Amino acid sequence: MSFRIQSLPPAELLPAFAALYGASPEDLTWMADACTAGFVALDDGEELLGAIGTRPSPQHGAELVGGVFPGPQRDEVALALIRAAHEAVGRVYLSAEGYLFPPEALLNAGLREVGAYRRVSGRVPYRHVDPPTGVQLLPLARVLDAAARLQALQTYEDRVGHHAVTSGATADGAGGFDSHLSVVALDDTGRGVGVCRAAIEDGEARIDSPGVASEWRHTHLRAALLNEVNTRLRAAGITRVNVDSWGDTAEELAHDLKLGLDIREETPILALG
């Protein structure tokens, strides 16, 4: 059985995305809207075998969203879709979740592992760390300057798995995060140089691994941000935390594991180009 790759406007990928992710098309409109190009694989009978869209990532080309349905040609279909996207937009990467993309086949075909999504979980750690000299940590709710909030969130943008931050992400409640639990780092000029966002869900905390401006990554600012958020969580009576990260370094992972957190989920991020 043969198949063909066809380009489509991203908006037309919504039915395929809904089937791949097990969600309604309406819930995934944001995903299609963020894509700049779309591709589908169709067999001889015009049956859909897979679909991907390209979502720009500031420092890493474009993330591929979507995936490939189960079937005897799954590996070949996945690789053909990825190569079509790569030819169209240049560097691409994807989170190789097994139900969407076959990681082993893609690694064998020449894609390289450039990072991972991870969730580490455990009891809320206690390890007091003061911020570096010249930096103050404030709850997001007290940082009223939208520009400083945006600067803090932009510290993620050079990490694989992250995307360009929009102004909407700076609002209280964006992403479901709590502005009183979340913390922003400001330097002595008032510029946002770090952020750690948190929320309480079903009695447990959800944290995004801290973002830190590149010129501060040699310091202990990341650890101080985590400590400040954990302090706020303990004050709220929360005892368990889940930390999500995309593209964290081996050293950052080692730091979190030394806090007593354990890896609960891990998905490789693979790149081409």
Side-chain angles (χ1 to χ4, degrees), residues 181-237:
L181 295 174
S182 303
V183 174
V184 171
L186 302 177
D187 68 11
D188 53 11
T189 70
R191 186 171 73 93
V193 295
V195 65
C196 187
R197 295 184 295 175
I200 297 173
E201 297 177 348
D202 300 323
E204 296 188 352
R206 171 174 66 94
I207 295 178
D208 266 4
S209 180
V212 175
S214 58
E215 66 270 26
W216 289 94
R217 289 180 186 165
H218 69 286
T219 73
H220 53 274
L221 177 55
R222 181 181 182 277
L225 281 161
L226 275 175
N227 170 71
E228 183 65 23
V229 170
N230 287 331
T231 298
R232 293 176 178 278
L233 293 174
R234 286 193 299 272

